[in-house]
Amino acid sequence: AQSVTQPDIHITVSEGASLELRCNYSYGATPYLFWYVQSPGQGLQLLLKYFSGDTLVQGIKGFEAEFKRSQSSFNLRKPSVHWSDAAEYFCAVGTTDSWGKLQFGAGTQVVVTP
Amino acid sequence: GAVVSQHPSRVICKSGTSVKIECRSLDFQATTMFWYRQFPKQSLMLMATSNEGSKATYEQGVEKDKFLINHASLTLSTLTVTSAHPEDSSFYICSARPTPGQGKSEAFFGQGTRLTVV
């Protein structure tokens, strides 16, 4: 069975600084990988996804993620954080035999300080 | 775009009553929809997979008689929380997986329903 680990429960970053959120997965084949963002009391917004091909994926709001098969990782990055990036971020993994069905990581809460 | 509408967005009900939550794909057909639950400050946990025209598949530990799922058409799935209790208070989110051939390669999420049982 697949699993997703987000090692950092909480990250505080200064506005304008860079941000990296870690995600590690466990799955026997090439997974489908996603990053979602959730603001308090809101639904999920897809930031980016990886299915195949180029391992560096560009998403919305200036985010990017890199798939590293050797490290079973799919870390999310943003070069310069804005106050509006404060939210909960979820990494999720799907499988080729049941795509659309996702397993989510525990989430990382991002706090942005002035 | 691909829009999934979930209704209601918020509901408060009395303990012992039932609540129905709708999940509609507005501009695509979805043979399969998924229902997730999110407790406060926790992650999303898959509850069940809803299949149009057949019985839902429930994840381990989810009571199928308590969480009734009906997927009556290619654009609508409903989740009914029966005999709700305060411990059922949670954020419920659906996602809809487009039927193949519509040029879409991911499932799309609704905006969620905040259920509070008092």
Side-chain angles (χ1 to χ4, degrees), chain B residues 59-101:
Chain B
E59 296 298 302
Q60 191 171 7
V62 178
E63 300 174 60
K64 63 179 181 180
D65 295 330
K66 181 170 186 61
F67 299 100
L68 300 179
I69 291 173
N70 183 275
H71 195 145
S73 76
L74 287 173
T75 59
L76 174 64
S77 175
T78 60
L79 169 68
T80 301
V81 183
T82 63
S83 186
H85 288 93
E87 57 265 31
D88 298 322
S89 298
S90 187
F91 193 56
Y92 293 86
I93 308 177
C94 71
S95 71
R97 184 173 84 184
T99 302

Short mmCIF file of all heavy atoms in Angstrom, two decimals, chain B residues 59-101:
data_model
loop_
_atom_site.label_atom_id
_atom_site.label_comp_id
_atom_site.label_asym_id
_atom_site.label_seq_id
_atom_site.Cartn_x
_atom_site.Cartn_y
_atom_site.Cartn_z
N GLU B 59 -13.91 2.31 2.98
CA GLU B 59 -12.61 2.04 3.57
C GLU B 59 -12.79 1.35 4.92
O GLU B 59 -13.85 1.44 5.55
CB GLU B 59 -11.82 3.34 3.74
CG GLU B 59 -11.50 4.02 2.42
CD GLU B 59 -10.63 3.17 1.51
OE1 GLU B 59 -9.51 2.77 1.93
OE2 GLU B 59 -11.06 2.89 0.37
N GLN B 60 -11.75 0.68 5.31
CA GLN B 60 -11.79 -0.06 6.57
C GLN B 60 -12.09 0.89 7.72
O GLN B 60 -11.51 1.96 7.84
CB GLN B 60 -10.45 -0.75 6.81
CG GLN B 60 -10.45 -1.75 7.94
CD GLN B 60 -9.16 -2.54 7.99
OE1 GLN B 60 -8.22 -2.26 7.27
NE2 GLN B 60 -9.11 -3.54 8.86
N GLY B 61 -13.02 0.48 8.55
CA GLY B 61 -13.37 1.27 9.73
C GLY B 61 -14.50 2.25 9.50
O GLY B 61 -14.95 2.90 10.45
N VAL B 62 -14.97 2.40 8.28
CA VAL B 62 -16.08 3.32 7.98
C VAL B 62 -17.37 2.51 7.94
O VAL B 62 -17.48 1.54 7.21
CB VAL B 62 -15.85 4.03 6.64
CG1 VAL B 62 -17.03 4.94 6.33
CG2 VAL B 62 -14.55 4.82 6.68
N GLU B 63 -18.34 2.95 8.75
CA GLU B 63 -19.59 2.20 8.85
C GLU B 63 -20.49 2.51 7.65
O GLU B 63 -21.00 3.62 7.51
CB GLU B 63 -20.31 2.60 10.13
CG GLU B 63 -19.54 2.32 11.41
CD GLU B 63 -20.28 2.88 12.61
OE1 GLU B 63 -21.43 2.44 12.83
OE2 GLU B 63 -19.73 3.76 13.30
N LYS B 64 -20.74 1.51 6.84
CA LYS B 64 -21.53 1.74 5.64
C LYS B 64 -22.99 2.03 5.96
O LYS B 64 -23.67 2.69 5.18
CB LYS B 64 -21.42 0.55 4.69
CG LYS B 64 -21.95 -0.75 5.25
CD LYS B 64 -21.81 -1.87 4.23
CE LYS B 64 -22.37 -3.17 4.77
NZ LYS B 64 -22.23 -4.28 3.79
N ASP B 65 -23.47 1.53 7.08
CA ASP B 65 -24.87 1.79 7.44
C ASP B 65 -25.06 3.18 8.04
O ASP B 65 -26.18 3.67 8.12
CB ASP B 65 -25.36 0.74 8.43
CG ASP B 65 -25.40 -0.64 7.83
OD1 ASP B 65 -25.62 -0.73 6.60
OD2 ASP B 65 -25.20 -1.63 8.56
N LYS B 66 -23.97 3.77 8.44
CA LYS B 66 -24.06 5.11 9.01
C LYS B 66 -23.85 6.16 7.92
O LYS B 66 -24.47 7.21 7.94
CB LYS B 66 -23.02 5.29 10.10
CG LYS B 66 -23.07 6.66 10.74
CD LYS B 66 -22.22 6.73 11.97
CE LYS B 66 -22.43 8.05 12.66
NZ LYS B 66 -23.82 8.26 13.09
N PHE B 67 -22.97 5.88 7.03
CA PHE B 67 -22.64 6.80 5.94
C PHE B 67 -23.13 6.19 4.63
O PHE B 67 -22.44 5.45 3.96
CB PHE B 67 -21.14 7.06 5.90
CG PHE B 67 -20.58 7.69 7.14
CD1 PHE B 67 -19.94 6.92 8.10
CD2 PHE B 67 -20.73 9.06 7.36
CE1 PHE B 67 -19.44 7.51 9.26
CE2 PHE B 67 -20.23 9.65 8.51
CZ PHE B 67 -19.59 8.87 9.47
N LEU B 68 -24.37 6.57 4.31
CA LEU B 68 -25.00 6.01 3.11
C LEU B 68 -24.60 6.82 1.88
O LEU B 68 -24.71 8.03 1.86
CB LEU B 68 -26.52 6.03 3.26
CG LEU B 68 -27.09 5.23 4.45
CD1 LEU B 68 -28.60 5.37 4.47
CD2 LEU B 68 -26.66 3.78 4.38
N ILE B 69 -24.15 6.12 0.88
CA ILE B 69 -23.73 6.77 -0.35
C ILE B 69 -24.58 6.29 -1.50
O ILE B 69 -24.78 5.09 -1.67
CB ILE B 69 -22.24 6.50 -0.62
CG1 ILE B 69 -21.38 7.21 0.42
CG2 ILE B 69 -21.85 6.95 -2.03
CD1 ILE B 69 -19.91 6.89 0.35
N ASN B 70 -25.06 7.27 -2.27
CA ASN B 70 -25.84 6.97 -3.46
C ASN B 70 -25.27 7.73 -4.64
O ASN B 70 -25.05 8.94 -4.55
CB ASN B 70 -27.31 7.36 -3.23
CG ASN B 70 -28.17 6.99 -4.41
OD1 ASN B 70 -28.27 7.72 -5.39
ND2 ASN B 70 -28.78 5.83 -4.34
N HIS B 71 -25.04 7.03 -5.72
CA HIS B 71 -24.46 7.66 -6.91
C HIS B 71 -25.43 7.38 -8.05
O HIS B 71 -25.22 6.48 -8.85
CB HIS B 71 -23.07 7.06 -7.18
CG HIS B 71 -22.24 7.84 -8.13
ND1 HIS B 71 -20.86 7.93 -7.99
CD2 HIS B 71 -22.53 8.58 -9.21
CE1 HIS B 71 -20.36 8.66 -8.96
NE2 HIS B 71 -21.35 9.08 -9.71
N ALA B 72 -26.49 8.18 -8.09
CA ALA B 72 -27.63 7.87 -8.94
C ALA B 72 -27.43 8.27 -10.40
O ALA B 72 -28.12 7.76 -11.28
CB ALA B 72 -28.87 8.56 -8.39
N SER B 73 -26.50 9.19 -10.64
CA SER B 73 -26.29 9.63 -12.03
C SER B 73 -24.81 9.90 -12.23
O SER B 73 -24.01 9.84 -11.30
CB SER B 73 -27.10 10.90 -12.31
OG SER B 73 -26.47 12.03 -11.73
N LEU B 74 -24.45 10.22 -13.46
CA LEU B 74 -23.05 10.47 -13.78
C LEU B 74 -22.55 11.83 -13.29
O LEU B 74 -21.39 12.17 -13.49
CB LEU B 74 -22.83 10.37 -15.30
CG LEU B 74 -22.88 8.96 -15.87
CD1 LEU B 74 -22.84 9.00 -17.39
CD2 LEU B 74 -21.74 8.11 -15.34
N THR B 75 -23.43 12.59 -12.66
CA THR B 75 -23.02 13.90 -12.17
C THR B 75 -23.36 14.13 -10.71
O THR B 75 -23.11 15.23 -10.18
CB THR B 75 -23.67 15.02 -13.01
OG1 THR B 75 -25.09 14.90 -12.92
CG2 THR B 75 -23.23 14.96 -14.46
N LEU B 76 -23.90 13.13 -10.03
CA LEU B 76 -24.34 13.38 -8.66
C LEU B 76 -24.08 12.18 -7.76
O LEU B 76 -24.47 11.06 -8.06
CB LEU B 76 -25.84 13.70 -8.63
CG LEU B 76 -26.48 13.84 -7.25
CD1 LEU B 76 -25.89 15.03 -6.50
CD2 LEU B 76 -27.99 13.98 -7.38
N SER B 77 -23.43 12.46 -6.65
CA SER B 77 -23.28 11.49 -5.57
C SER B 77 -23.73 12.16 -4.29
O SER B 77 -23.49 13.35 -4.10
CB SER B 77 -21.83 11.03 -5.44
OG SER B 77 -21.67 10.17 -4.32
N THR B 78 -24.40 11.39 -3.44
CA THR B 78 -24.83 11.95 -2.15
C THR B 78 -24.30 11.09 -1.02
O THR B 78 -24.18 9.87 -1.13
CB THR B 78 -26.35 12.02 -2.05
OG1 THR B 78 -26.90 10.70 -2.18
CG2 THR B 78 -26.93 12.92 -3.13
N LEU B 79 -23.97 11.78 0.06
CA LEU B 79 -23.53 11.13 1.29
C LEU B 79 -24.55 11.51 2.36
O LEU B 79 -24.77 12.69 2.61
CB LEU B 79 -22.14 11.62 1.70
CG LEU B 79 -21.66 11.25 3.09
CD1 LEU B 79 -21.41 9.75 3.19
CD2 LEU B 79 -20.38 12.02 3.45
N THR B 80 -25.17 10.51 2.95
CA THR B 80 -26.11 10.76 4.03
C THR B 80 -25.53 10.25 5.33
O THR B 80 -25.21 9.06 5.44
CB THR B 80 -27.47 10.09 3.76
OG1 THR B 80 -28.01 10.58 2.53
CG2 THR B 80 -28.44 10.36 4.89
N VAL B 81 -25.37 11.15 6.28
CA VAL B 81 -24.92 10.77 7.61
C VAL B 81 -26.17 10.47 8.42
O VAL B 81 -26.97 11.37 8.71
CB VAL B 81 -24.11 11.89 8.27
CG1 VAL B 81 -23.58 11.45 9.62
CG2 VAL B 81 -22.95 12.32 7.36
N THR B 82 -26.37 9.23 8.76
CA THR B 82 -27.59 8.83 9.45
C THR B 82 -27.37 8.84 10.97
O THR B 82 -26.27 8.57 11.45
CB THR B 82 -28.03 7.43 9.02
OG1 THR B 82 -27.01 6.49 9.39
CG2 THR B 82 -28.24 7.37 7.51
N SER B 83 -28.43 9.18 11.66
CA SER B 83 -28.38 9.22 13.13
C SER B 83 -27.08 9.88 13.60
O SER B 83 -26.26 9.28 14.31
CB SER B 83 -28.49 7.81 13.69
OG SER B 83 -28.60 7.84 15.11
N ALA B 84 -26.94 11.11 13.17
CA ALA B 84 -25.68 11.81 13.44
C ALA B 84 -25.46 12.04 14.93
O ALA B 84 -26.41 12.27 15.69
CB ALA B 84 -25.68 13.15 12.70
N HIS B 85 -24.21 11.97 15.34
CA HIS B 85 -23.82 12.25 16.71
C HIS B 85 -22.71 13.28 16.70
O HIS B 85 -22.05 13.49 15.67
CB HIS B 85 -23.37 10.96 17.40
CG HIS B 85 -24.49 10.04 17.72
ND1 HIS B 85 -24.88 9.04 16.85
CD2 HIS B 85 -25.34 9.99 18.77
CE1 HIS B 85 -25.92 8.40 17.37
NE2 HIS B 85 -26.22 8.96 18.52
N PRO B 86 -22.45 13.91 17.82
CA PRO B 86 -21.41 14.96 17.85
C PRO B 86 -20.05 14.49 17.31
O PRO B 86 -19.34 15.29 16.70
CB PRO B 86 -21.34 15.31 19.34
CG PRO B 86 -22.74 15.08 19.83
CD PRO B 86 -23.21 13.87 19.08
N GLU B 87 -19.73 13.24 17.49
CA GLU B 87 -18.43 12.75 16.99
C GLU B 87 -18.37 12.67 15.47
O GLU B 87 -17.29 12.46 14.89
CB GLU B 87 -18.08 11.39 17.60
CG GLU B 87 -19.11 10.31 17.36
CD GLU B 87 -20.09 10.19 18.52
OE1 GLU B 87 -20.38 11.20 19.19
OE2 GLU B 87 -20.57 9.05 18.74
N ASP B 88 -19.54 12.83 14.82
CA ASP B 88 -19.57 12.87 13.35
C ASP B 88 -19.28 14.28 12.82
O ASP B 88 -19.14 14.47 11.60
CB ASP B 88 -20.93 12.41 12.81
CG ASP B 88 -21.23 10.97 13.20
OD1 ASP B 88 -20.29 10.15 13.20
OD2 ASP B 88 -22.41 10.68 13.51
N SER B 89 -19.22 15.24 13.73
CA SER B 89 -18.91 16.60 13.31
C SER B 89 -17.54 16.62 12.65
O SER B 89 -16.54 16.16 13.22
CB SER B 89 -18.91 17.53 14.52
OG SER B 89 -20.19 17.57 15.12
N SER B 90 -17.51 17.14 11.44
CA SER B 90 -16.27 17.08 10.68
C SER B 90 -16.45 17.89 9.40
O SER B 90 -17.52 18.44 9.14
CB SER B 90 -15.95 15.62 10.33
OG SER B 90 -14.68 15.50 9.72
N PHE B 91 -15.38 17.94 8.62
CA PHE B 91 -15.41 18.56 7.30
C PHE B 91 -15.41 17.42 6.29
O PHE B 91 -14.51 16.59 6.29
CB PHE B 91 -14.16 19.44 7.14
CG PHE B 91 -14.19 20.39 5.98
CD1 PHE B 91 -15.22 21.30 5.84
CD2 PHE B 91 -13.17 20.40 5.05
CE1 PHE B 91 -15.23 22.20 4.77
CE2 PHE B 91 -13.18 21.29 3.98
CZ PHE B 91 -14.21 22.19 3.85
N TYR B 92 -16.45 17.38 5.47
CA TYR B 92 -16.58 16.30 4.49
C TYR B 92 -16.32 16.90 3.09
O TYR B 92 -16.92 17.91 2.72
CB TYR B 92 -17.97 15.68 4.55
CG TYR B 92 -18.22 14.94 5.84
CD1 TYR B 92 -18.69 15.62 6.96
CD2 TYR B 92 -17.96 13.59 5.95
CE1 TYR B 92 -18.90 14.95 8.17
CE2 TYR B 92 -18.17 12.90 7.14
CZ TYR B 92 -18.64 13.59 8.24
OH TYR B 92 -18.83 12.92 9.43
N ILE B 93 -15.45 16.26 2.35
CA ILE B 93 -15.08 16.76 1.01
C ILE B 93 -15.24 15.64 -0.01
O ILE B 93 -14.83 14.50 0.24
CB ILE B 93 -13.62 17.26 0.96
CG1 ILE B 93 -13.34 18.25 2.07
CG2 ILE B 93 -13.30 17.89 -0.38
CD1 ILE B 93 -11.89 18.71 2.09
N CYS B 94 -15.82 15.99 -1.13
CA CYS B 94 -15.94 15.01 -2.20
C CYS B 94 -14.99 15.37 -3.34
O CYS B 94 -14.55 16.51 -3.47
CB CYS B 94 -17.35 14.93 -2.73
SG CYS B 94 -17.87 16.37 -3.68
N SER B 95 -14.66 14.37 -4.12
CA SER B 95 -13.95 14.63 -5.38
C SER B 95 -14.58 13.77 -6.46
O SER B 95 -15.13 12.71 -6.18
CB SER B 95 -12.45 14.36 -5.27
OG SER B 95 -12.19 12.97 -5.18
N ALA B 96 -14.52 14.26 -7.67
CA ALA B 96 -15.14 13.58 -8.80
C ALA B 96 -14.08 13.25 -9.84
O ALA B 96 -13.31 14.12 -10.25
CB ALA B 96 -16.22 14.46 -9.41
N ARG B 97 -14.05 12.00 -10.25
CA ARG B 97 -13.10 11.54 -11.25
C ARG B 97 -13.78 11.52 -12.61
O ARG B 97 -14.74 10.77 -12.81
CB ARG B 97 -12.59 10.15 -10.90
CG ARG B 97 -11.51 9.63 -11.83
CD ARG B 97 -10.94 8.33 -11.34
NE ARG B 97 -11.74 7.18 -11.74
CZ ARG B 97 -11.48 5.94 -11.35
NH1 ARG B 97 -10.47 5.70 -10.54
NH2 ARG B 97 -12.24 4.94 -11.76
N PRO B 98 -13.32 12.34 -13.55
CA PRO B 98 -13.98 12.38 -14.86
C PRO B 98 -13.95 11.03 -15.56
O PRO B 98 -12.96 10.30 -15.50
CB PRO B 98 -13.15 13.41 -15.63
CG PRO B 98 -12.53 14.26 -14.58
CD PRO B 98 -12.25 13.33 -13.44
N THR B 99 -15.04 10.73 -16.21
CA THR B 99 -15.11 9.53 -17.04
C THR B 99 -14.09 9.65 -18.17
O THR B 99 -13.92 10.75 -18.72
CB THR B 99 -16.53 9.41 -17.61
OG1 THR B 99 -17.45 9.36 -16.53
CG2 THR B 99 -16.68 8.16 -18.45
N PRO B 100 -13.37 8.60 -18.50
CA PRO B 100 -12.38 8.67 -19.59
C PRO B 100 -12.95 9.22 -20.88
O PRO B 100 -14.12 9.01 -21.20
CB PRO B 100 -11.95 7.21 -19.75
CG PRO B 100 -12.17 6.60 -18.41
CD PRO B 100 -13.40 7.28 -17.88
N GLY B 101 -12.11 9.94 -21.59
CA GLY B 101 -12.52 10.48 -22.88
C GLY B 101 -12.94 11.94 -22.82
O GLY B 101 -13.32 12.51 -23.84
#
